[in-house]
Structure formats: C-alpha cells, structure tokens
Amino acid sequence: MQKTETSLPRKSPEELGISSEKVIGFLDALQERGLEAHGFMLLRHGHVAVEGWWDPYAPELPHMLFSLSKSFTSTAIGMAVHEGLLTLDDPVVSYFPEDLPSEVSENLAAMKIRHLLMMGTGHDKDTTDALHDAEDGNWAKAFLALPVPHEPGTHFLYNTGATYMLSAILQKASGQRLLDYLQSRLFEPLGILGPTWETCPRGIHTGGYGLSVTTEDIAKFGQLYLQKGVWHGKRLIEEDWIEEATGKQISNGDGGDSDWAQGYGYQFWRCRHGVYRGDGAFGQFCIVLPEQDAVVAITAGTGDLQGVLNCVWEHLLDAFLPEPVQEDERLSELQERLAKLRLDMPGFEPRSDMEARIGGKIYDLEENRFSLQSFRIDFGEDSACLTFEKEEGDEIITLGRQSWAMGQSPVFGGRDTRTASSFTWKAPDQLLLSIRGVETPFCITMEVRFGEEDIKIDHKFNVSFEADEDRPIVGKAAR
C-alpha cells in the first residue's frame, strides 16, 4: 500500500523476529476453515511486519467495525474522566432528569457510569431493540424506562444500549458529540482520517456500533493501547485508565476454551494467553498481545469469531521469536501470498444465449422484504447494468462479467457505500450475481432463474443478523 506521513512504520518479518512459516500457516488456516477475511495487519515492536487485503477489499477502504466501536467509546470516557468532566461513580440518572420514568427503581438509581462500561447495568436482556423501537427517537428515555431486575455491578449482560448511554452522557458532559470529542484527542494524533459514526434519530452517536475506519486505523488504536497511551512521545490516554479498562472488571463466564468467558473490562474483552481485545460482529478485531509486544488487526465477514481467534492462538502466538531472523527461506513465499490475496467471484460460464432474450426486459416483482418493485438487466461486452426499481428511486448496480466492477450503492446499510459486483452464468437460464459491500462485512449472492415469462430470485447473505433462509423473490415479465 502507499505509505503516507500518517502510516505506521514498516519492517520485514525477519527484522521483527516473526516466522513467515507461522504466518503462512495462519493464512492457510483461515482458508481451510472457510473464514472470510478482508484485511489483516500484524504489528510488532511498533512496526507493521505483515499486511494483506483480500481483493476487492483494499487498505484505503474504511470498514464497519460494529461492536469494536465500543472500545473507542470507552476511550472517550477515560479521557473525559481525566479531564474532570465526569466520574465513573456518577449516577446514570443524574444526566437525564427530563427523561426519567415516573418511578425510579432502586437498581436504576444505583446504576453508575462504571456499570455501563463493564456491561453490569443490571438488565436481563440487551436494551438495543427497545431503543430502536422508541417511536419518539429518544433512546435515552427508552433505556431508562426498562426494568433493572439485578443490582448493578453483579450481573454481566452484553448490552449495546449501555454503550449508547455512554455516548449520550459524554455529549452532555462535554458539549460535543462523541466523534467530535475524539477528533482532536484521538483521531488526529493517530492520523485516522475521515472516520464516520452512525447516529440515533436525535443525532447522538450510537456508541456501541457504527464507527467505520480502515484496518490500519484499528492497528494504530491497538498500538496506542500497547504503548500505554503514549503516541510519538505525547500521552493521549492515562496509563491507569488503560490498565483498568483492559483488566477484568466483571466475570462473564467460567473461562475454559471460550474467549467470551475470560472476563470483561470497560468495553474490552479479556482473552486467553494474557491477551485482550476489542471486537465486532462478523470478525472485526483489535487484538493486543502485551507479552509479545504485538498487535493483530483484522476486518472480515464471518460468523465464526472464535474460529478466527483460534487461528491466531494456534499459529501466530508461536510466530514471535526472541531475536530478529537472519534469513527466512519462506519470506518470499509469504510476500507472494500476501500480494495475491483475493476473494474469488463465482465463475461458471461467462455468456449465455439467454442474454439476447432477457436483456433490457422488465420483470415486475411480487412484494418482498427489500421493497424491490421490478428487475431489469442490460448486458454489455464486459459488464452488465442491473436495475431494481424501488418506490424511492431506481437502484442501479454495474456488474463485471466474471470480474469485479466497482461502484456505489445503498444496498448495504441504507447509505451509499462502495461495492464490488460481478455476474456469471451458472446454467443457460440461471444467472448468478455477487454484490459485495467492500466497506462492510456483507456480500449478497443472487441466483436468478428465468422462465418463459417469469423470474425467480434466490438470495443469500454471507453473514447476517437475521435468519439464513429467506423466501425467493418472484415476478413476471411486464406487459
């Protein structure tokens, strides 16, 4: 990738005492286990040793972090504590006097900022759905209206709504939105350019998810924590905060082989092997290995997060050597592997005689969960133009003929994000479309079967929060 003044310094794996063979083993394990990675960076002693992106993903593209956003929100709270804007023992209710229920329960009154941080609010289920369902868009009020059956601090429950409340409290305490607060304090010093963060209907950043940055930005964040909060000689985060935030604040299980049962800090997970991490849905990782003086940053699109961590433990833990390597005979092989990383689009037959009959034809679609009203595809020599009609306007996607065509679409997340799309013919009457949101974990595959005058579209996401199975979309040629 092109290096800039904001990039991390680079050295070879040999110089940093990292075994190329072990890293190759890690890449092989991801592939063998079907774990879809998008970006990977391995740092040691403050330098990037290994980096790779699976085409069509690229180093300059931001990636949705999902719950890895929580660790950034926690960092903002730590900074605000140091600045005297708030304390961890402040009652949550003290920040929202206008949004309190008519009766404040004893447990709600006892809930403090530290309880939000450690996921020990006392709730018995994640509050996120209740926040999203709030008709007036007042998420804080919806959070405070929920029952709190457990004494705060005694019961771990992963609760994304709690992190939203941290964002809302920070905005009240500082007068700045979360993203703006972190801009001069964290993002600018680290050289993190153009971060974006989703907001609630009232304009408060979501806190527990919604941040998008690049893989290298994740690596910088992990390196800052590894360096105990100091960046280029300037302290950005207090060391005692880092110790507290990444240490075990509450029990979340009885250990064992699960890296979700080793204890929880302040929006950081404890791991086996003396490691801690921030992570997000579908494989977004910032893994800090203090004993090895190393950081692993991963962006991905997989539902098997434990599988990714197992690959790190099984292959990368043993990759760190006590001294630089004089000569690694597999280094050139590793460099070649990294240069050729890619996610292949499906490839069957590049063309079909069906193109002449269906090209430009409009098919009216029956009611479906995507609110698509019609389907049309126009074929060119090396590409095709897919058009879905929707009530709010046409959605047009350019597809490469067995190659990735780059574009933009709101198909992933409701706002325009970069896409890479392709098509191939699985059979003379079966068109296979692949659309990747390359700033997201998501890829949708559509298998389109053409009859005499009808159409059937089977569709599947690589990863999703919803059920795997979905009803096909059907339609008929417009008359």
Side-chain angles (χ1 to χ4, degrees):
M1 66 174 288
Q2 183 178 2
K3 311 303 184 296
T4 69
E5 61 181 15
T6 61
S7 298
L8 289 164
R10 265 74 174 169
K11 284 187 178 180
S12 71
E14 290 177 322
E15 293 176 282
L16 296 168
I18 291 177
S19 163
S20 295
E21 180 179 10
K22 296 294 185 181
V23 178
I24 291 171
F26 171 74
L27 297 175
D28 286 342
L30 292 178
Q31 183 174 352
E32 290 165 3
R33 300 180 191 187
L35 301 171
E36 181 183 302
H38 297 162
F40 164 61
M41 298 186 81
L42 174 59
L43 281 60
R44 196 181 194 196
H45 306 327
H47 292 73
V48 178
V50 182
E51 57 188 317
W53 286 263
W54 284 255
D55 184 67
Y57 299 85
E60 69 275 9
L61 296 177
H63 204 283
M64 295 171 68
L65 300 192
F66 292 93
S67 286
L68 178 49
S69 308
K70 291 178 169 71
S71 301
F72 288 81
T73 302
S74 168
T75 301
I77 295 296
M79 291 174 167
V81 168
H82 176 64
E83 293 173 16
L85 298 177
L86 51 82
T87 77
L88 297 193
D89 290 321
D90 289 348
V92 173
V93 295
S94 68
Y95 286 90
F96 306 95
E98 69 282 6
D99 294 321
L100 297 178
S102 55
E103 292 187 19
V104 176
S105 69
E106 183 178 347
N107 284 342
L108 178 59
M111 190 190 303
K112 300 175 180 178
I113 290 176
R114 70 170 67 251
H115 299 136
L116 299 174
L117 285 162
M118 69 170 66
M119 297 296 186
T121 58
H123 292 99
D124 58 2
K125 64 179 180 179
D126 187 351
T127 59
T128 308
D129 287 346
L131 272 57
H132 290 169
D133 292 342
E135 293 183 2
D136 61 357
N138 189 337
W139 287 11
K141 185 176 181 179
F143 179 93
L144 296 166
L146 294 170
V148 185
H150 305 281
E151 179 185 350
T154 66
H155 176 75
F156 174 85
L157 176 80
Y158 195 71
N159 186 351
T160 296
T163 319
Y164 169 79
M165 295 300 284
L166 292 171
S167 174
I169 287 171
L170 179 81
Q171 185 166 322
K172 292 221 176 215
S174 69
Q176 291 181 285
R177 298 197 306 172
L178 176 58
L179 185 64
D180 302 322
Y181 180 85
L182 285 174
Q183 188 62 39
S184 62
R185 294 168 174 85
L186 181 70
F187 295 134
E188 288 178 5
L190 296 188
I192 295 177
L193 307 177
T196 60
W197 211 315
E198 295 175 34
T199 64
C200 77
R202 297 200 169 192
I204 300 168
H205 289 301
T206 47
Y209 62 93
L211 177 62
S212 290
V213 296
T214 67
T215 316
E216 182 161 355
D217 295 335
I218 297 170
K220 291 174 181 176
F221 181 68
Q223 186 63 35
L224 173 64
Y225 266 76
L226 184 61
Q227 294 172 180
K228 304 296 186 184
V230 175
W231 195 259
H232 294 323
K234 181 181 178 182
R235 178 160 295 283
L236 304 183
I237 313 171
E238 294 304 300
E239 183 172 352
D240 59 354
W241 173 262
I242 289 180
E243 294 295 332
E244 195 172 348
T246 63
K248 181 178 177 180
Q249 296 297 330
I250 191 170
S251 177
N252 60 354
D254 54 3
D257 294 332
S258 170
D259 285 292
W260 279 261
Q262 307 296 322
Y264 194 77
Y266 293 157
Q267 314 282 295
F268 285 89
W269 297 89
R270 295 296 307 174
C271 307
R272 293 172 288 169
H273 312 293
V275 175
Y276 64 86
R277 74 185 190 278
D279 73 28
F282 312 125
Q284 324 317 313
F285 285 105
C286 179
I287 306 169
V288 181
L289 303 92
E291 295 176 12
Q292 292 79 12
D293 194 27
V295 173
V296 177
I298 297 172
T299 50
T302 177
D304 186 3
L305 274 68
Q306 184 65 69
V308 175
L309 289 175
N310 288 344
C311 288
V312 173
W313 309 149
E314 292 167 14
H315 298 278
L316 296 185
L317 276 183
D318 292 336
F320 303 105
L321 307 173
E323 300 291 339
V325 180
Q326 294 303 314
E327 184 176 348
D328 190 331
E329 60 184 21
R330 301 200 68 182
L331 177 58
S332 60
E333 180 185 348
L334 172 60
Q335 291 171 332
E336 185 177 352
R337 283 283 299 275
L338 293 168
K340 293 182 177 180
L341 291 174
R342 61 179 294 147
L343 296 176
D344 291 326
M345 71 289 294
F348 292 95
E349 293 296 329
R351 301 178 189 277
S352 168
D353 293 340
M354 181 72 72
E355 291 180 22
R357 183 166 73 81
I358 65 170
K361 198 169 188 176
I362 297 174
Y363 292 84
D364 292 328
L365 303 177
E366 294 182 4
E367 185 177 348
N368 56 83
R369 74 180 182 96
F370 301 107
S371 301
L372 304 176
Q373 297 175 337
S374 72
F375 170 99
R376 169 180 171 170
I377 188 163
D378 296 90
F379 295 95
E381 182 63 26
D382 298 315
S383 63
C385 181
L386 172 66
T387 303
F388 283 116
E389 182 185 1
K390 302 181 74 173
E391 187 173 335
E392 59 269 27
D394 289 351
E395 195 166 296
I396 301 172
I397 300 172
T398 300
L399 308 145
R401 191 183 291 274
Q402 292 193 340
S403 64
W404 294 119
M406 304 304 292
Q408 283 196 320
S409 171
V411 69
F412 302 104
R415 58 186 176 89
D416 274 350
T417 59
R418 293 180 182 89
T419 56
S421 308
S422 71
F423 74 97
T424 186
W425 286 95
K426 191 173 181 180
D429 62 346
Q430 290 179 238
L431 182 64
L432 193 62
L433 314 177
S434 299
I435 305 169
R436 287 193 169 275
V438 291
E439 298 177 18
T440 81
F442 302 118
C443 173
I444 185 171
T445 302
M446 297 183 178
E447 189 171 300
V448 189
R449 294 180 176 88
F450 296 93
E452 285 297 323
E453 292 295 321
D454 62 323
I455 188 175
K456 178 183 177 185
I457 306 173
D458 289 297
H459 52 281
K460 184 177 181 180
F461 282 92
N462 60 335
V463 289
S464 174
F465 289 112
E466 301 179 12
D468 291 339
E469 298 299 324
D470 208 340
R471 292 168 51 192
I473 301 171
V474 297
K476 293 186 178 296
R479 298 291 183 182

